[in-house]
mmCIF file of all heavy atoms in Angstrom:
data_model
loop_
_atom_site.group_PDB
_atom_site.id
_atom_site.type_symbol
_atom_site.label_atom_id
_atom_site.label_comp_id
_atom_site.label_asym_id
_atom_site.label_seq_id
_atom_site.Cartn_x
_atom_site.Cartn_y
_atom_site.Cartn_z
ATOM 1 N N ARG E 19 7.292 -19.574 1.492
ATOM 2 C CA ARG E 19 6.277 -20.304 0.708
ATOM 3 C C ARG E 19 6.308 -19.891 -0.732
ATOM 4 O O ARG E 19 6.232 -20.863 -1.634
ATOM 5 C CB ARG E 19 4.968 -20.017 1.134
ATOM 6 C CG ARG E 19 4.664 -20.669 2.521
ATOM 7 C CD ARG E 19 3.184 -20.737 2.916
ATOM 8 N NE ARG E 19 2.983 -21.018 4.316
ATOM 9 C CZ ARG E 19 2.064 -20.401 5.049
ATOM 10 N NH1 ARG E 19 1.242 -19.412 4.456
ATOM 11 N NH2 ARG E 19 2.043 -20.573 6.231
ATOM 12 N N ILE E 20 6.581 -18.787 -1.122
ATOM 13 C CA ILE E 20 6.831 -18.276 -2.455
ATOM 14 C C ILE E 20 8.005 -18.962 -2.980
ATOM 15 O O ILE E 20 7.994 -19.541 -4.108
ATOM 16 C CB ILE E 20 7.017 -16.728 -2.522
ATOM 17 C CG1 ILE E 20 5.554 -16.075 -2.160
ATOM 18 C CG2 ILE E 20 7.483 -16.382 -3.886
ATOM 19 C CD1 ILE E 20 5.647 -14.566 -2.140
ATOM 20 N N MET E 21 9.190 -19.057 -2.123
ATOM 21 C CA MET E 21 10.330 -19.604 -2.726
ATOM 22 C C MET E 21 10.171 -21.070 -2.869
ATOM 23 O O MET E 21 10.640 -21.734 -3.902
ATOM 24 C CB MET E 21 11.508 -19.367 -1.799
ATOM 25 C CG MET E 21 11.939 -17.881 -1.568
ATOM 26 S SD MET E 21 12.704 -17.161 -3.086
ATOM 27 C CE MET E 21 12.635 -15.469 -2.801
ATOM 28 N N LEU E 22 9.434 -21.714 -2.011
ATOM 29 C CA LEU E 22 9.134 -23.113 -2.068
ATOM 30 C C LEU E 22 8.348 -23.536 -3.262
ATOM 31 O O LEU E 22 8.628 -24.465 -4.026
ATOM 32 C CB LEU E 22 8.456 -23.630 -0.836
ATOM 33 C CG LEU E 22 8.250 -25.133 -0.576
ATOM 34 C CD1 LEU E 22 9.710 -25.674 -0.354
ATOM 35 C CD2 LEU E 22 7.430 -25.317 0.542
ATOM 36 N N GLN E 23 7.363 -22.714 -3.684
ATOM 37 C CA GLN E 23 6.729 -22.769 -4.968
ATOM 38 C C GLN E 23 7.515 -22.729 -6.156
ATOM 39 O O GLN E 23 7.380 -23.604 -7.033
ATOM 40 C CB GLN E 23 5.535 -21.747 -5.031
ATOM 41 C CG GLN E 23 4.463 -21.851 -3.979
ATOM 42 C CD GLN E 23 3.653 -23.110 -4.195
ATOM 43 O OE1 GLN E 23 3.387 -23.631 -5.223
ATOM 44 N NE2 GLN E 23 3.332 -23.794 -2.988
ATOM 45 N N VAL E 24 8.454 -21.769 -6.057
ATOM 46 C CA VAL E 24 9.454 -21.711 -7.194
ATOM 47 C C VAL E 24 10.328 -22.971 -7.306
ATOM 48 O O VAL E 24 10.446 -23.551 -8.395
ATOM 49 C CB VAL E 24 10.403 -20.409 -7.063
ATOM 50 C CG1 VAL E 24 11.583 -20.430 -8.150
ATOM 51 C CG2 VAL E 24 9.619 -19.254 -7.055
ATOM 52 N N LEU E 25 10.793 -23.494 -6.132
ATOM 53 C CA LEU E 25 11.578 -24.669 -6.156
ATOM 54 C C LEU E 25 10.654 -25.920 -6.698
ATOM 55 O O LEU E 25 11.191 -26.688 -7.498
ATOM 56 C CB LEU E 25 12.072 -25.073 -4.748
ATOM 57 C CG LEU E 25 13.109 -24.071 -4.268
ATOM 58 C CD1 LEU E 25 13.482 -24.335 -2.790
ATOM 59 C CD2 LEU E 25 14.384 -24.079 -5.076
ATOM 60 N N LEU E 26 9.451 -25.977 -6.297
ATOM 61 C CA LEU E 26 8.588 -27.088 -6.793
ATOM 62 C C LEU E 26 8.484 -26.870 -8.248
ATOM 63 O O LEU E 26 8.416 -27.966 -8.970
ATOM 64 C CB LEU E 26 7.199 -26.884 -6.171
ATOM 65 C CG LEU E 26 6.992 -27.408 -4.657
ATOM 66 C CD1 LEU E 26 5.713 -27.096 -4.196
ATOM 67 C CD2 LEU E 26 7.419 -29.005 -4.672
ATOM 68 N N ALA E 27 8.178 -25.681 -8.750
ATOM 69 C CA ALA E 27 7.895 -25.547 -10.219
ATOM 70 C C ALA E 27 9.109 -25.845 -11.028
ATOM 71 O O ALA E 27 9.061 -26.097 -12.171
ATOM 72 C CB ALA E 27 7.627 -24.114 -10.467
ATOM 73 N N LEU E 28 10.388 -25.900 -10.384
ATOM 74 C CA LEU E 28 11.541 -26.231 -11.095
ATOM 75 C C LEU E 28 11.672 -27.801 -11.207
ATOM 76 O O LEU E 28 12.590 -28.150 -12.119
ATOM 77 C CB LEU E 28 12.777 -25.628 -10.340
ATOM 78 C CG LEU E 28 13.091 -24.216 -10.585
ATOM 79 C CD1 LEU E 28 14.051 -23.545 -9.612
ATOM 80 C CD2 LEU E 28 13.484 -23.820 -12.048
ATOM 81 N N ILE E 29 10.981 -28.506 -10.478
ATOM 82 C CA ILE E 29 11.280 -29.930 -10.452
ATOM 83 C C ILE E 29 11.165 -30.681 -11.848
ATOM 84 O O ILE E 29 11.961 -31.318 -12.192
ATOM 85 C CB ILE E 29 10.316 -30.627 -9.307
ATOM 86 C CG1 ILE E 29 10.864 -30.238 -7.973
ATOM 87 C CG2 ILE E 29 10.268 -32.158 -9.457
ATOM 88 C CD1 ILE E 29 10.032 -30.728 -6.859
ATOM 89 N N VAL E 80 17.136 -21.143 -3.832
ATOM 90 C CA VAL E 80 16.661 -20.810 -5.186
ATOM 91 C C VAL E 80 17.850 -20.460 -6.018
ATOM 92 O O VAL E 80 18.121 -20.886 -7.209
ATOM 93 C CB VAL E 80 15.514 -19.884 -5.179
ATOM 94 C CG1 VAL E 80 15.253 -19.415 -6.545
ATOM 95 C CG2 VAL E 80 14.311 -20.470 -4.486
ATOM 96 N N LEU E 84 19.213 -22.431 -9.426
ATOM 97 C CA LEU E 84 19.232 -21.703 -10.718
ATOM 98 C C LEU E 84 20.622 -21.748 -11.208
ATOM 99 O O LEU E 84 20.912 -21.996 -12.423
ATOM 100 C CB LEU E 84 18.700 -20.371 -10.564
ATOM 101 C CG LEU E 84 17.168 -20.260 -10.297
ATOM 102 C CD1 LEU E 84 16.745 -18.905 -10.170
ATOM 103 C CD2 LEU E 84 16.420 -20.847 -11.614
ATOM 104 N N TYR E 225 2.786 -23.458 -13.985
ATOM 105 C CA TYR E 225 2.381 -23.545 -12.571
ATOM 106 C C TYR E 225 2.530 -22.395 -11.748
ATOM 107 O O TYR E 225 1.632 -21.930 -11.034
ATOM 108 C CB TYR E 225 3.285 -24.742 -12.099
ATOM 109 C CG TYR E 225 3.028 -25.085 -10.563
ATOM 110 C CD1 TYR E 225 1.818 -25.675 -10.082
ATOM 111 C CD2 TYR E 225 3.837 -24.546 -9.617
ATOM 112 C CE1 TYR E 225 1.623 -25.877 -8.745
ATOM 113 C CE2 TYR E 225 3.695 -24.758 -8.258
ATOM 114 C CZ TYR E 225 2.581 -25.502 -7.768
ATOM 115 O OH TYR E 225 2.464 -25.566 -6.452
ATOM 116 N N LEU E 226 3.644 -21.664 -11.859
ATOM 117 C CA LEU E 226 3.816 -20.454 -11.117
ATOM 118 C C LEU E 226 2.824 -19.297 -11.522
ATOM 119 O O LEU E 226 2.390 -18.678 -10.577
ATOM 120 C CB LEU E 226 5.246 -19.943 -11.470
ATOM 121 C CG LEU E 226 6.513 -20.658 -10.723
ATOM 122 C CD1 LEU E 226 7.718 -19.806 -11.072
ATOM 123 C CD2 LEU E 226 6.291 -20.781 -9.299
ATOM 124 N N ILE E 231 2.322 -16.913 -8.318
ATOM 125 C CA ILE E 231 3.643 -16.598 -7.739
ATOM 126 C C ILE E 231 4.214 -15.492 -8.543
ATOM 127 O O ILE E 231 4.954 -14.684 -8.131
ATOM 128 C CB ILE E 231 4.481 -17.848 -7.710
ATOM 129 C CG1 ILE E 231 3.959 -19.049 -6.822
ATOM 130 C CG2 ILE E 231 5.969 -17.485 -7.210
ATOM 131 C CD1 ILE E 231 3.742 -18.547 -5.281
ATOM 132 N N ILE E 232 3.941 -15.652 -9.898
ATOM 133 C CA ILE E 232 4.531 -14.539 -10.833
ATOM 134 C C ILE E 232 3.314 -14.173 -11.649
ATOM 135 O O ILE E 232 2.290 -14.674 -11.551
ATOM 136 C CB ILE E 232 5.582 -15.092 -11.775
ATOM 137 C CG1 ILE E 232 5.012 -16.290 -12.597
ATOM 138 C CG2 ILE E 232 6.856 -15.572 -10.977
ATOM 139 C CD1 ILE E 232 6.046 -16.832 -13.760
ATOM 140 N N PHE E 277 11.735 -18.047 -14.748
ATOM 141 C CA PHE E 277 12.384 -18.219 -13.466
ATOM 142 C C PHE E 277 13.414 -17.265 -13.061
ATOM 143 O O PHE E 277 13.815 -17.109 -11.974
ATOM 144 C CB PHE E 277 12.924 -19.725 -13.347
ATOM 145 C CG PHE E 277 11.866 -20.811 -13.215
ATOM 146 C CD1 PHE E 277 11.473 -21.307 -14.495
ATOM 147 C CD2 PHE E 277 11.302 -21.150 -12.109
ATOM 148 C CE1 PHE E 277 10.481 -22.297 -14.438
ATOM 149 C CE2 PHE E 277 10.391 -22.098 -12.060
ATOM 150 C CZ PHE E 277 9.946 -22.694 -13.294
#
Side-chain angles (χ1 to χ4, degrees):
Chain E
R19 290 196 196 134
I20 292 176
M21 295 294 168
L22 193 64
Q23 293 293 322
V24 173
L25 291 173
L26 283 177
L28 283 165
I29 288 176
V80 171
L84 288 175
Y225 171 79
L226 288 185
I231 300 296
I232 58 172
F277 293 93

